[in-house]
Amino acid sequence: MAREQNIFYKLVRDENSATELLCNLMRFAAFRRPLLSLLFSEQCAGKIEYGAIDTQYHLDGSGRPDLVIDSDEVFAFVEVKVEKGCGLTGHQPTGYLDALRNDKRPERWLVFLVPTGWVHEPELLNRLKAAPKDGSIKTPLPVYWENVLDIIVKNNLQDLSPVFGEFHRLLESWYRAIPIIFEPKEVRMLFTKEFPENVIALAKLGKLIDRVREKCSTYAPRQSFPRILCPEDEYGFYITNDQGQEIFWFGMWIPFWKQERSPLCFGVWDAWPKAVRVAFSDSCKNTKRCQEESTLGWVSPETLESENAVEKIWEQLEPILKAIVEASSKSRVEAESQEGG
């Protein structure tokens, strides 16, 4: 989302800034009451005033929940995750549960606010299951950011307040983006060796690449960087590891397009780390060599023509990207261990 499209551009971009904005917006009762009812219960929400809500609350030796409700009757923690790949810390949830267990207030809650498809949800549920039991502490299933969007729409807050309108657009861009749909004739035109002249189809292709980049950034936020080196040859992005080495490409590369009649490709270059190239070959079923310098997979016409091409592409890329990132990380650890030895 560009600066001119949203006032929160570059201000709200991670877990901490999203938490602060969420807390500030709860100053408005029309938003606070339904949100608290969603996170906890309607009965519990009625016992919470805005002054009881704070952020980044330090627990002695037990971590730092993102949101804390600290009132006469309610002691509750809300842990916020905005990225699907953001993991759990050592204190989540055991340290939080210990702090709640040592408190005697009648309403004690631990709630996670996460995106739909959060990668670590199964791990959280397993940790909760393994934690010492205390029936007085409520640990409901995670609440999703998409549910927060529903609250804004249901209460018409995006039309009643410009601030909520901007917040609504921000969350939509993150979690409920409008699908990019290609017409069959556009897909047929794209899968040719001739560079297409249909400007609308090319514009859609560019938007789709940007949307996939956002997906990859969510999965690996510190590794994903967009790059447009030479528009007449390529449009896409590379993912780099912690050492700045390129380990994955996705986008439109004209040499591959001309060779295979496929506008979108992804893969690795021969000059990149061996562990990355092996991980790609092992995890990607169908690949082609291109210009004797790269090994690439591609997006099929059926995928591009589907009603939600971005999600279909992400289903294809995510296991490959996961394997590559893990291989790169393992290779780095092994190299450091050898240097230390």
Side-chain angles (χ1 to χ4, degrees):
M1 179 172 288
R3 185 184 302 275
E4 62 271 15
Q5 293 177 312
N6 199 275
I7 63 171
F8 298 121
Y9 175 78
K10 285 193 176 182
L11 295 178
V12 181
R13 56 194 303 178
D14 55 20
E15 183 177 301
N16 290 338
S17 55
T19 299
E20 295 297 340
L21 177 58
L22 191 68
C23 181
N24 292 346
L25 289 176
M26 279 196 278
R27 179 167 67 89
F28 302 98
F31 177 62
R32 180 178 69 252
R33 185 63 181 266
L35 177 61
L36 293 177
S37 297
L38 172 68
L39 294 172
F40 311 119
S41 69
E42 188 171 351
Q43 179 183 10
C44 181
K47 302 175 182 178
I48 302 172
E49 298 295 331
Y50 180 62
I53 307 171
D54 203 356
T55 62
Q56 306 301 325
Y57 188 99
H58 287 271
L59 304 172
D60 292 337
S62 298
R64 187 180 65 179
D66 293 310
L67 274 173
V68 174
I69 314 298
D70 189 356
S71 69
D72 292 339
E73 296 185 62
V74 182
F75 193 41
F77 304 148
V78 179
E79 184 62 27
V80 176
K81 307 290 184 184
V82 298
E83 299 167 349
K84 288 186 178 181
C86 185
L88 294 162
T89 69
H91 294 294
Q92 298 170 2
T94 52
Y96 297 171
L97 291 172
D98 289 342
L100 292 169
R101 197 175 293 111
N102 292 330
D103 195 86
K104 301 303 179 185
R105 275 168 276 196
E107 293 276 6
R108 285 171 288 161
W109 295 72
L110 173 59
V111 181
F112 278 71
L113 176 60
V114 303
T116 297
W118 180 47
V119 175
H120 299 277
E121 185 169 341
E123 180 185 355
L124 169 65
L125 298 180
N126 287 334
R127 289 192 187 186
L128 287 171
K129 185 177 180 180
K133 299 297 182 290
D134 188 334
S136 62
I137 300 174
K138 300 178 180 64
T139 55
L141 292 173
V143 173
Y144 301 118
W145 277 103
E146 291 82 348
N147 302 135
V148 179
L149 264 169
D150 292 338
I151 286 176
I152 296 172
V153 174
K154 182 179 179 180
N155 293 278
N156 202 32
L157 297 177
Q158 78 277 15
D159 294 328
L160 297 176
S161 166
V163 174
F164 279 99
E166 296 289 313
F167 184 47
H168 177 262
R169 282 190 290 274
L170 177 70
L171 293 186
E172 273 202 327
S173 71
W174 285 1
Y175 304 120
R176 196 173 284 168
I178 298 173
I180 299 171
I181 300 176
F182 289 83
E183 297 292 335
K185 62 180 180 180
E186 293 173 336
V187 174
R188 289 193 297 271
M189 179 273 299
L190 288 170
F191 283 83
T192 67
K193 286 189 176 181
E194 299 300 324
F195 192 84
E197 297 180 357
N198 188 316
V199 177
I200 295 177
L202 283 176
K204 286 184 180 179
L205 202 61
K207 289 181 180 179
L208 184 142
I209 292 171
D210 293 341
R211 196 76 61 80
V212 173
R213 179 188 64 78
E214 291 172 3
K215 287 279 189 182
C216 291
S217 297
T218 299
Y219 181 81
R222 286 180 296 276
Q223 287 95 3
S224 183
F225 299 94
R227 187 191 294 183
I228 306 170
L229 292 180
C230 188
E232 65 269 20
D233 286 336
E234 65 177 68
Y235 181 93
F237 60 90
Y238 293 87
I239 290 178
T240 64
N241 61 18
D242 291 338
Q243 286 73 51
Q245 297 172 312
E246 293 167 345
I247 60 175
F248 190 74
W249 151 266
F250 179 87
M252 177 182 67
W253 192 40
I254 301 303
F256 187 82
W257 191 339
K258 291 181 177 179
Q259 174 183 308
E260 301 297 332
R261 301 187 182 183
S262 295
L264 293 178
C265 63
F266 55 88
V268 295
W269 261 248
D270 293 353
W272 296 357
K274 180 179 179 180
V276 167
R277 291 184 278 117
V278 171
F280 177 75
S281 297
D282 290 346
S283 58
C284 186
K285 295 180 180 179
N286 299 311
T287 61
K288 293 279 188 178
R289 294 284 295 163
C290 187
Q291 294 190 340
E292 300 304 320
E293 62 178 348
S294 60
T295 303
L296 302 171
W298 61 91
V299 175
S300 70
E302 294 78 16
T303 295
L304 202 60
E305 199 173 334
S306 64
E307 291 187 356
N308 200 334
V310 174
E311 293 298 332
K312 290 291 185 182
I313 293 172
W314 182 237
E315 289 177 9
Q316 184 179 3
L317 294 186
E318 184 177 20
I320 300 171
L321 179 58
K322 180 179 180 181
I324 288 175
V325 171
E326 289 179 351
S328 177
S329 178
K330 182 179 179 181
S331 177
R332 175 183 60 80
V333 171
E334 290 175 352
E336 291 176 349
S337 176
Q338 292 176 359
E339 291 177 1

